[in-house]
């Protein structure tokens, strides 16, 4: 059996791909690439195909279910669940950028991809990945506002503001990835066509370049690194402040539930930013493409599956909404009316406390997200 993450050789009897090669001086310009698989063993490739098919199917079904429940349940029309639905949308297409091509490579003899297709895959991979990084930061900031400014939170996180912030992170992610794609389209590739990865990424493509790629490397290390570190720092700061509020809870059961949820959320944050930092913040001399493949499998296939489990399916409110969707008609409306009555009574109990800020923090942390 082959091993995942090792440097695999090209399969024997691999037919020559139908690529167009141009001669410019003594250099051969490649217009089509060959992607490496995760293994060179035919039996292991069939096994990996089944495993990743199950993971990808569960990812799509889980995230689509989350979006449908959030969009159809009026009680879930809040900023927190709005951002979660955007996260589910990104995760579906983020994994779809690389995993379906991986499926064809498991079954195909020639694992070829055109230069245009390679650049398109790279563009969407970084577009959705950077957007998700900023979205995780935005979600942490949303929870920070909800805890430390509970009375002003409904006035601050309005629907227009949520839409504006969402458009902002999509725009920044788009132009960040577009800059990578434009610079990569100007690179001349002449050092072979074997990409040491199972999808087209910046680092393995630069290994095949014979033109000056200093600007590409600077952009990858500085701009992408700044984006990763900046988003991670802000997200981590938000959860540090949240944890400081949790420590002020008098109830041991309340602290346990809050810490459980914070730890689950931080798991997603650490996996996403940790993998991104490992891939794009190391010096080029320390890049090991075999290790990069293992890390890439983790955050392109596994992490999108963990997000719905951690952010939503552990949430009692969402699970109740799913049950109501399968129940008799009229039950969701009655539940929504009940939720509305509870929300209407909440400010009265909050203002009745001796300490408005701390009293609300404790009661707010017992909301569905912290169960």
């Amino acid at each position: 059996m082959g091993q995942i993450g090792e440097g695999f050789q090209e399969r024997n009897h691999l037919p020559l791909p139908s690529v167009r090669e141009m001669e410019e001086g003594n250099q051969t310009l490649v217009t089509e690439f060959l992607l490496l698989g995760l293994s060179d063993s035919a039996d292991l490739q069939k096994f990996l195909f089944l495993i990743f098919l199950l993971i990808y199917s569960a990812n799509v079904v889980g995230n689509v279910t989350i979006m449908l429940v959030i969009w159809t349940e009026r009680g879930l029309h809040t900023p927190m669940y709005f951002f979660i639905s955007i996260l589910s949308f990104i995760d579906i297409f983020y994994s779809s950028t690389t995993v379906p091509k991986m499926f064809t490579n498991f079954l195909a003899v020639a694992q070829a991809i055109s230069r245009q297709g390679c650049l398109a895959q790279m563009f969407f991979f970084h577009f959705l990945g950077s957007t998700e990084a900023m979205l995780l930061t935005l979600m942490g900031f949303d929870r920070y506002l909800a805890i430390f400014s509970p009375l002003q939170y409904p006035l601050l996180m309005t629907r227009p503001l949520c839409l504006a912030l969402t458009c902002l992170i999509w725009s920044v992610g788009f132009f960040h990835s577009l800059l990578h794609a434009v610079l990569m389209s100007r690179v001349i590739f002449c050092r072979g066509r074997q990409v040491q990865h199972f999808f087209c990424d910046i680092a393995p493509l630069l290994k095949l370049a014979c033109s000056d790629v200093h600007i590409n490397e600077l952009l990858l290390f500085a701009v992408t690194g700044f984006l990763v570190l900046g988003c991670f720092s802000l997200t981590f700061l938000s959860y540090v402040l949240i944890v400081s509020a949790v420590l002020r809870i008098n109830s041991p059961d309340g602290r346990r539930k809050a810490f459980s949820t914070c730890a689950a959320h931080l798991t997603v944050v650490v996996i996403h930013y940790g993998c991104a930092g490992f891939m794009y913040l190391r010096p080029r001399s320390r890049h090991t493409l075999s290790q990069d493949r293992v890390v890439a499998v983790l955050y392109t296939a596994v992490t999108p599956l963990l997000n719905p489990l951690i952010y939503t399916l552990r949430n009692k409110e969402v699970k109740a909404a799913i049950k109501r969707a399968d129940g008799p008609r009229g039950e969701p409306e009655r539940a929504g009316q009940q939720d509305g009555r509870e929300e209407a009574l909440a400010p009265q109990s909050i203002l009745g406390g001796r300490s408005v800020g701390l009293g609300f923090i404790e009661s707010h942390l017992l909301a569905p997200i912290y169960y």
Side-chain angles (χ1 to χ4, degrees):
M1 294 177 60
Q3 295 181 353
I4 299 177
E6 299 293 335
F8 298 108
Q9 300 296 329
E10 188 175 346
R11 300 180 189 177
N12 294 330
H13 310 296
L14 182 66
L16 291 176
S18 57
V19 300
R20 179 177 59 90
E21 297 181 343
M22 302 174 294
E23 294 295 332
E24 183 179 297
N26 295 325
Q27 297 176 343
T28 302
L29 306 183
V30 180
T31 60
E32 190 172 76
F33 300 99
L34 294 176
L35 299 174
L36 281 183
L38 295 179
S39 173
D40 57 354
S41 171
D43 294 335
L44 182 57
Q45 293 227 15
K46 294 178 182 178
F47 174 75
L48 292 175
F49 174 82
L50 294 177
I51 294 297
F52 282 102
L53 180 62
L54 292 176
I55 293 176
Y56 180 72
S57 300
N59 168 32
V60 174
V61 172
N63 283 293
V64 168
T65 301
I66 289 171
M67 289 190 296
L68 292 177
V69 170
I70 293 176
W71 293 345
T72 56
E73 284 291 325
R74 295 178 58 186
L76 301 181
H77 291 177
T78 62
M80 180 185 72
Y81 289 109
F82 171 74
F83 294 138
I84 289 178
S85 66
I86 299 298
L87 180 65
S88 296
F89 178 84
I90 291 177
D91 282 337
I92 293 174
F93 289 96
Y94 188 47
S95 59
S96 299
T97 302
T98 57
V99 176
K101 181 61 179 175
M102 188 192 306
F103 291 156
T104 61
N105 291 342
F106 282 144
L107 303 177
V109 177
Q111 304 173 346
I113 184 172
S114 66
R115 178 188 174 105
Q116 293 78 9
C118 189
L119 292 178
Q121 188 182 57
M122 186 197 74
F123 168 79
F124 283 105
F125 177 79
H126 284 273
F127 172 35
L128 297 171
S130 58
T131 302
E132 179 169 345
M134 290 181 285
L135 180 61
L136 292 175
T137 302
L138 187 56
M139 294 173 68
F141 179 70
D142 171 72
R143 291 298 86 205
Y144 164 76
L145 283 181
I147 292 176
F148 283 86
S149 300
L151 299 181
Q152 298 179 356
Y153 176 75
L155 301 177
L156 295 174
M157 293 300 293
T158 60
R159 183 178 181 84
L161 179 61
C162 291
L163 293 174
L165 291 174
T166 302
C167 292
L168 176 63
I169 62 175
W170 279 101
S171 300
V172 173
F174 175 83
F175 286 108
H176 165 256
S177 183
L178 182 64
L179 187 57
H180 278 299
V182 170
L183 290 179
M184 188 64 73
S185 66
R186 304 176 63 182
V187 173
I188 299 175
F189 301 99
C190 62
R191 295 180 179 175
R193 54 175 179 264
Q194 187 81 48
V195 179
Q196 300 293 316
H197 216 323
F198 64 90
F199 71 96
C200 292
D201 201 5
I202 297 175
L205 286 177
L206 293 181
K207 295 283 186 179
L208 306 179
C210 56
S211 58
D212 186 12
V213 293
H214 286 93
I215 297 180
N216 300 74
E217 293 175 346
L218 179 63
L219 177 66
L220 180 63
F221 185 77
V223 179
T224 304
F226 175 79
L227 185 64
V228 172
L229 286 179
C231 291
F232 174 76
S233 300
L234 293 176
T235 306
F236 185 76
L237 177 62
S238 298
Y239 282 105
V240 167
L241 296 176
I242 290 174
V243 170
S244 68
V246 172
L247 293 175
R248 298 161 63 184
I249 299 177
N250 295 325
S251 170
D253 186 59
R255 285 197 300 268
R256 179 184 60 80
K257 292 178 180 178
F259 274 125
S260 175
T261 301
C262 288
H265 292 184
L266 283 175
T267 300
V268 174
V269 171
V270 169
I271 291 176
H272 184 87
Y273 291 116
C275 293
F278 180 84
M279 291 283 292
Y280 302 113
L281 294 181
R282 290 178 300 160
R284 186 180 181 185
S285 59
R286 295 186 180 181
H287 264 276
T288 305
L289 295 177
S290 59
Q291 295 178 355
D292 289 351
R293 285 199 295 272
V294 177
V295 176
V297 168
L298 180 63
Y299 71 83
T300 58
V302 179
T303 302
L305 177 62
L306 296 179
N307 286 343
L309 297 176
I310 292 177
Y311 278 102
T312 307
L313 297 184
R314 296 178 67 253
N315 190 303
K316 289 184 177 180
E317 189 174 21
V318 175
K319 289 190 289 187
I322 295 176
K323 292 180 180 179
R324 291 197 299 267
D326 295 333
R329 295 184 61 183
E331 186 176 349
E333 296 180 0
R334 291 194 299 270
Q337 294 173 0
Q338 180 66 27
D339 292 341
R341 288 195 296 269
E342 292 177 358
E343 292 177 359
L345 292 175
Q348 298 177 8
S349 61
I350 294 165
L351 295 177
R354 295 178 59 185
S355 176
V356 175
L358 183 57
F360 183 80
I361 288 175
E362 296 185 4
S363 61
H364 182 81
L365 289 173
L366 298 180
I369 185 175
Y370 294 107
Y371 273 82

